[in-house]
Amino acid sequence: MPISFTVNGAKRTVDVDPETPLLWVLRDDLKLTGTKFGCGAALCGACNVHLDGEAVRSCQIQLQDAAGRDVTTIEGVTGNVAKAVQDAWIKLDVVQCGYCQTGQVMAAIGLLTQIAKPSDDDIDKAMDGNLCRCNTYHRIRLAIHEAAKTLPG
Amino acid sequence: MNRFDMTRIFALDTEGDEAGRTALLAPSRRGFIKLAAGAGSGLVLGLAPLPRSIGGGEAAAGKEAAAGSLAPNPFLIVAPDNTVTVIIKHLDKGQGAATGLASLVAEELDAEWASIKTEFAPADSARYKNLEFGVQGVGGSNGMSNSFEQYRQAGATARAMLVAAAAKAWSVPPGEITVKAGKLAHASGKAGSFGEFAARASAEAVPGTVKLKDPKDFVLIGKSTPRVDSRAKTMGTALFTIDQMMDGMLVAVIARPPMFGATVKSFDDSLAMKVPGVVKVLAVPQGVAVLAKSTWPALKGRDALKVVWDDSKAEKRGTAEIVAEYKAMLDKPGLEVRKDGDAEAALKSAVKVIAVDFEFPYLAHAPMEPMNAVVRFDGAKVEIWTGSQLQTIDQSVAAAVLGIKPENVTINTLWAGGSFGRRGTPDGHYVAEACAIAKAYGQPVPIKTIWTREDDIKGGYYRPIYLHRIEAGLDAKGAIVAWRHRIVGQSIMSGTPFAAAMKGGIDPTSVEGANTLPYTIPNMRVELATMKIGVPVLWWRSVGSTHTAHSTEHMLDIIARETSRDPLELRLSMLSKHPRHAAALKLATEAAGWGKPMPAGRFLGLAVHESFKSFVAQVAEVEAKPDGGFKVTRVVCAVDCGLAVNPDVVKAQIEGGIGYGLGAALKSVITMKGGVVEQANFDTYDVLRMSEMPRVEVLIVPSDQPPTGVGEPGVPPILPAVANAMLAASGVRTVALPMTRQSYRRA
Ligand code: FES
Ligand code: FES
């Protein structure tokens, strides 16, 4: 049974196993490879996307549960918070291998959308689910503060 | 796949078997790869190129140079549109190889940084060998050091040709032409861009020798040029192996044995084949492969497989049994690795002897992108896409598995989602298995073989278990007069082509850092006992120093405490012959406020260690509670890595190394019961998270020495620095890692 949902503003329809995690639908069927696989078990955050505006783990959402909903991936994320975060990431050269970073960026956008000026504690809480094996945490923290500086509120 | 069972890879095909054995197991016969133990740090592979050139041509091989381009050597292309493409011979797994090598070319070419693009070189050791290894690949943090002259020469050559072309066109002497940020100019007002002169420059003779810049004229080297990969990796457009999507591509996963060395006895794929999307189930030497049209059906198909394993040859010991065997070995003398004076006699006559045993567990690398490779094999030639770290080995292994010649193996190196040693495998096993699947499937479609996180955590290639015993003898004044250091553990090199670097049965990677202890101690003996365990092991970011730095540097603080001396003063009193260690220590401790009063509940610990020719001192600050709970709040680090080509990348590598080591200090551990690994994913294999990352300050010791490693040397000192801070806080010695194995409750 074909299932439809909105991805980055466009309606998409796929006809695969309705239990397929959204992660693999995005990557394999829609070729949106910016969303990464890191654990498949809600333990790393590499697969973060926004579902109806909220940061979620796409490895834990079945395709059938995304039906009719609005998904934003790193390829389609826009707005002043997204721009502030990505600009800060580039300015501070946060990335190393980069594999975790799209998930980090999506989580950071989620955080700054909720809390405009997060404290270190807020950052620890919001970002603790996003692993970085290159351990860029120190710069992620700085980049979130940097992005917050450029945002109103 | 058990590393000690490499013959199984080659048993697929007799022709391949022969080629594989020759290339990998009897390297000296062909002069393919010669290795020698490096003096002191890591390893230096010595220097025989492949017998025949693979690929031919002298120009850059990364892509066809567009018409009108200048491509005078294999390392760069200056295009008519003013872009300069630098061909990167090493894998970039986050350490910044692309940025670093490109900046060397850009510096000598006087290119504009914004016009620089990078591309990874194909596997072709004739053109792209690591000048320290003699084959293509990177490891031991030598990516920058082996390329430093080579890439500068490449840029300077192209610059000279552009200048020669402009001089002709303008009828002026070449010496009067200036070059700056991609622009050529003459005092007469004549000016032009690289692009305008690229075609004419390519008609100029390639100069035999070129003069490199005086370091005082550097405009990019030593400055923090922005990374070339920040934008693509932040926007999600950088392509990793897992992101390869090709027409007709299949995705494969392997059902792997539950114990190292077990093999498939039989399997039932009837349910797996019913999963929509599953295309084929195949026996391969590594297990049972499920091939599907996309990832999810492959995973579901694997779950539906029923496999009966033959574990008759499997390693069935658990970590408890392994540690017990090692413990018994600590009581016996091992092979002598270092001997100064007479440690035995000095221990006997010492006024006091302090003896401490240390235990280090298996550790998984767990790079964020699990192992993977895409392979397309048409029966005669193969094309491979992967984050290849040792391209020449991967190329030889693929040829051996497929029964073809290495020159028919094309490897496209892609961005890799981390390695930390994991992708630099002497047996090329993850390329081998992807090739085995392609061969067994027998059709020329691309097949992407991926590992799940569980495959990765359970899959071996760990940092080996090591046990250490250090006995220090003190004289009546408390000075250290004897030092005996016994190490027991598995060899990483044994059974691989790197075994050629072992002398007298001693794997240098088991003892590095211990045999080079810099302190002046008159009687010193270092010993090694190498154990055979059927668990595949591998270099893990900073290799031997992951354990030798902890045991030696923690031991010094234990001695300092017993003799009521300041840990800094004790070290400095014994470092007169090693000024670079001492300078790094002084810089870090001054910046950290060593010796100043600390707020209640805060404690400092320090450590210094040399690895990969770099000298790193760290001071860790902990906030410790009486109940034993603690948090590492701040790390101040001084690094002497020779000339810092890109100081910001150096800092990033050290920051990352501190976090990577801190995870191992605090909580990461692999254990086995009855041969079965007890961890599976990041819930059980615990790694460092954001809330545990301290504030980090990295100070670079100014230096005009040649550049040395930065990818690994940030790791070793953090374990003892944190342990030393907790020793100061609680009096508890960190004798077993991770630190969760001790209680730091105050007595
Ligand atoms: S892949 Fe979804 S949380 Fe790790
Ligand atoms: S940048 Fe490599 S895992 Fe985060």
Side-chain angles (χ1 to χ4, degrees):
Chain A
M1 248 260 298
I3 292 172
S4 297
F5 58 115
T6 304
V7 182
N8 299 334
K11 190 177 161 206
R12 308 294 296 258
T13 304
V14 286
D15 189 4
V16 297
D17 175 0
E19 289 181 2
T20 307
L22 179 60
L23 167 67
W24 298 114
V25 174
L26 292 171
R27 290 183 51 84
D28 286 351
D29 298 299
L30 304 179
K31 311 292 185 230
L32 293 167
T33 57
T35 305
K36 297 295 195 246
F37 163 72
C39 71
L43 299 166
C44 80
C47 66
N48 275 3
V49 299
H50 295 165
L51 184 64
D52 296 332
E54 223 175 285
V56 297
R57 283 152 167 184
S58 63
C59 70
Q60 297 303 305
I61 300 204
Q62 295 186 351
L63 172 61
Q64 58 196 0
D65 296 327
R69 299 175 73 179
D70 195 358
V71 177
T72 305
T73 70
I74 189 77
E75 289 88 351
V77 73
T78 52
N80 60 343
V81 177
K83 183 164 184 328
V85 167
Q86 289 179 312
D87 286 352
W89 244 247
I90 293 166
K91 180 175 169 197
L92 297 187
D93 269 349
V94 169
V95 307
Q96 290 187 26
C97 84
Y99 192 81
C100 74
Q101 296 294 348
T102 51
Q104 305 280 4
V105 164
M106 295 303 276
I109 294 168
L111 165 62
L112 287 168
T113 306
Q114 305 269 314
I115 307 174
K117 304 281 179 220
S119 64
D120 279 351
D121 274 352
D122 295 332
I123 294 172
D124 283 354
K125 278 198 197 85
M127 304 299 289
D128 232 26
N130 279 75
L131 293 180
C132 174
R133 288 300 285 145
C134 299
N135 290 275
T136 61
Y137 300 121
H138 176 69
R139 288 192 189 206
I140 290 174
R141 198 180 282 147
L142 298 179
I144 291 174
H145 286 308
E146 172 75 24
K149 260 199 277 171
T150 66
L151 286 168
Chain B
M1 182 66 206
N2 185 326
R3 195 170 64 85
F4 295 99
D5 207 357
M6 248 171 18
T7 47
R8 282 202 290 146
I9 300 175
F10 304 118
L12 290 169
D13 179 289
T14 16
E15 201 189 322
D17 187 12
E18 183 48 38
R21 280 163 187 274
T22 310
L24 282 169
L25 302 179
S28 56
R29 260 184 25 218
R30 279 236 184 130
F32 158 51
I33 179 170
K34 281 197 282 172
L35 308 104
S41 56
L43 37 129
V44 177
L45 317 193
L47 307 165
L50 270 177
R52 65 182 100 74
S53 152
I54 293 171
E58 276 305 305
K63 62 174 183 188
E64 282 298 305
S69 295
L70 168 65
N73 56 53
F75 303 104
L76 81 160
I77 300 166
V78 183
D81 67 357
N82 287 320
T83 58
V84 176
T85 303
V86 180
I87 311 300
I88 308 300
K89 67 178 182 174
H90 294 317
L91 175 66
D92 195 324
K93 48 215 154 57
Q95 85 280 33
T99 303
L101 298 188
S103 71
L104 301 179
V105 165
E107 176 71 65
E108 296 289 345
L109 182 60
D110 281 312
E112 190 193 5
W113 186 243
S115 70
I116 295 284
K117 293 182 180 169
T118 64
E119 242 176 62
F120 291 112
D124 177 355
S125 88
R127 282 179 290 180
Y128 296 115
K129 64 175 159 282
N130 182 315
L131 299 179
E132 281 182 21
F133 286 176
V135 297
Q136 194 178 355
V138 65
S141 296
N142 71 6
M144 180 55 74
S145 57
N146 95 88
S147 313
F148 189 59
E149 293 280 319
Q150 183 180 43
Y151 272 71
R152 288 172 63 202
Q153 293 272 0
T157 301
R159 182 188 191 277
M161 292 166 77
L162 287 162
V163 166
K168 259 187 209 157
W170 299 337
S171 305
V172 300
E176 289 180 6
I177 291 178
T178 58
V179 188
K180 211 179 156 188
K183 296 260 179 342
L184 300 137
H186 184 259
S188 61
K190 294 211 160 51
S193 68
F194 280 6
E196 283 167 51
F197 285 98
R200 277 173 275 178
S202 68
E204 294 292 326
V206 180
T209 54
V210 282
K211 203 169 155 295
L212 297 180
K213 281 186 184 173
D214 187 317
K216 72 173 167 31
D217 299 325
F218 286 157
V219 292
L220 294 173
I221 294 175
K223 314 287 184 301
S224 294
T225 46
R227 289 183 73 112
V228 295
D229 50 355
S230 264
R231 176 163 291 276
K233 287 175 175 177
T234 301
M235 309 308 280
T237 55
L239 292 181
F240 298 81
T241 303
I242 199 171
D243 301 330
Q244 298 302 306
M245 301 282 168
M246 301 172 199
D247 285 346
M249 188 176 84
L250 299 177
V251 176
V253 291
I254 298 178
R256 297 166 191 280
M259 289 177 210
F260 300 109
T263 52
V264 179
K265 190 182 265 174
S266 63
F267 66 93
D268 173 0
D269 64 1
S270 50
L271 289 177
M273 286 304 294
K274 286 206 185 93
V275 174
V278 169
V279 172
K280 190 90 187 164
V281 176
L282 292 165
V284 288
Q286 295 79 5
V288 182
V290 178
L291 283 69
K293 290 198 171 123
S294 55
T295 313
W296 182 243
L299 294 171
K300 256 182 116 170
R302 182 170 76 168
D303 286 345
L305 265 184
K306 291 197 190 89
V307 186
V308 181
W309 301 98
D310 172 1
D311 63 8
S312 57
K313 294 205 185 80
E315 175 57 76
K316 296 192 193 68
R317 281 172 287 189
T319 37
E321 291 83 17
I322 293 169
V323 167
E325 283 181 36
Y326 287 17
K327 272 210 173 109
M329 290 302 291
L330 278 181
D331 293 332
K332 299 177 198 151
L335 292 175
E336 183 177 283
V337 180
R338 174 174 176 178
K339 184 177 192 293
D340 302 353
D342 187 343
E344 259 66 42
L347 277 173
K348 276 199 197 101
S349 61
V351 171
K352 180 174 180 173
V353 173
I354 303 172
V356 184
D357 291 357
F358 300 90
E359 189 186 321
F360 301 88
Y362 283 126
L363 290 174
H365 307 69
M368 211 63 224
E369 180 187 22
M371 298 295 98
N372 47 26
V374 182
V375 172
R376 185 173 58 207
F377 178 51
D378 69 5
K381 290 189 174 182
V382 68
E383 187 160 7
I384 298 170
W385 294 260
T386 192
S388 178
Q389 185 169 342
L390 299 171
Q391 286 93 340
T392 305
I393 283 182
D394 288 341
Q395 196 173 32
S396 303
V397 167
V401 171
L402 297 168
I404 59 177
K405 297 208 166 86
E407 55 263 45
N408 290 327
V409 179
T410 300
I411 298 183
N412 305 289
T413 297
L414 301 167
W415 298 109
S419 171
F420 319 114
R422 185 65 185 86
R423 284 188 169 268
T425 57
D427 62 2
H429 67 96
Y430 67 90
V431 169
E433 64 176 33
C435 289
I437 291 171
K439 185 170 184 179
Y441 189 56
Q443 292 185 40
V445 296
I447 302 172
K448 176 163 71 184
T449 300
I450 66 164
W451 292 45
T452 59
R453 180 59 58 194
E454 289 81 4
D455 294 336
D456 173 59
I457 300 291
K458 288 187 173 298
Y461 295 88
Y462 303 131
R463 193 285 302 275
I465 291 176
Y466 289 97
L467 264 61
H468 291 217
R469 171 171 297 165
I470 299 180
E471 293 150 281
L474 311 179
D475 68 11
K477 288 193 209 114
I480 307 172
V481 290
W483 179 276
R484 185 167 67 191
H485 189 169
R486 245 175 221 167
I487 299 174
V488 179
Q490 255 175 287
S491 164
I492 296 169
M493 289 182 162
S494 172
T496 80
F498 293 82
M502 293 171 61
K503 293 221 175 70
I506 291 160
D507 181 336
T509 69
S510 298
V511 296
E512 59 189 352
N515 63 341
T516 52
L517 195 71
Y519 302 110
T520 306
I521 299 172
N523 302 289
M524 196 182 295
R525 186 176 158 90
V526 179
E527 299 171 9
L528 173 69
T530 297
M531 308 296 282
K532 279 211 170 8
I533 306 287
V535 176
V537 292
L538 192 58
W539 12 76
W540 191 98
R541 196 171 186 176
S542 82
V543 201
S545 293
T546 58
H547 48 103
T548 59
H550 179 79
S551 63
T552 57
E553 285 294 290
H554 193 38
M555 186 69 185
L556 281 175
D557 269 46
I558 291 170
I559 295 167
R561 198 178 167 84
E562 293 282 319
T563 55
S564 304
R565 288 180 75 175
D566 174 71
L568 174 62
E569 178 272 319
L570 173 67
R571 284 173 176 78
L572 291 176
S573 74
M574 299 188 291
L575 279 173
S576 55
K577 295 203 185 98
H578 292 272
R580 291 176 81 177
H581 288 79
L585 257 181
K586 282 182 198 149
L587 186 61
T589 47
E590 265 162 39
W594 184 267
K596 300 217 174 94
M598 297 290 293
R602 303 250 172 171
F603 301 87
L604 298 182
L606 63 79
V608 64
H609 190 77
E610 177 194 354
S611 62
F612 308 94
K613 304 190 179 93
S614 293
F615 305 80
V616 181
Q618 290 173 6
V619 179
E621 179 194 86
V622 298
E623 193 185 306
K625 301 203 189 79
D627 70 357
F630 71 97
K631 188 179 159 117
V632 183
T633 46
R634 178 186 180 212
V635 176
V636 179
C637 177
V639 53
D640 174 355
C641 57
L643 173 69
V645 174
N646 187 321
D648 194 57
V649 169
V650 170
K651 286 182 183 170
Q653 282 305 295
I654 299 293
E655 290 160 10
I658 288 169
Y660 200 74
L662 188 55
L666 296 180
K667 50 194 206 168
S668 302
V669 56
I670 293 282
T671 55
M672 300 181 327
K673 235 194 185 116
V676 178
V677 175
E678 295 182 286
Q679 292 72 26
N681 205 319
F682 288 125
D683 48 351
T684 41
Y685 189 69
D686 211 357
V687 299
L688 200 78
R689 290 180 182 271
M690 171 65 86
S691 57
E692 294 153 329
M693 185 74 190
R695 271 191 300 134
V696 179
E697 292 150 55
V698 180
L699 305 157
I700 297 174
V701 179
S703 172
D704 52 10
Q705 297 290 307
T708 51
V710 294
E712 299 174 87
V715 176
I718 191 64
L719 289 93
V722 171
N724 290 341
M726 287 310 295
L727 181 67
S730 65
V732 176
R733 296 173 179 179
T734 300
V735 294
L737 287 156
M739 295 174 83
T740 45
R741 295 170 69 184
Q742 279 113 151
S743 164
Y744 294 89
R745 185 182 291 276
R746 247 164 268 173

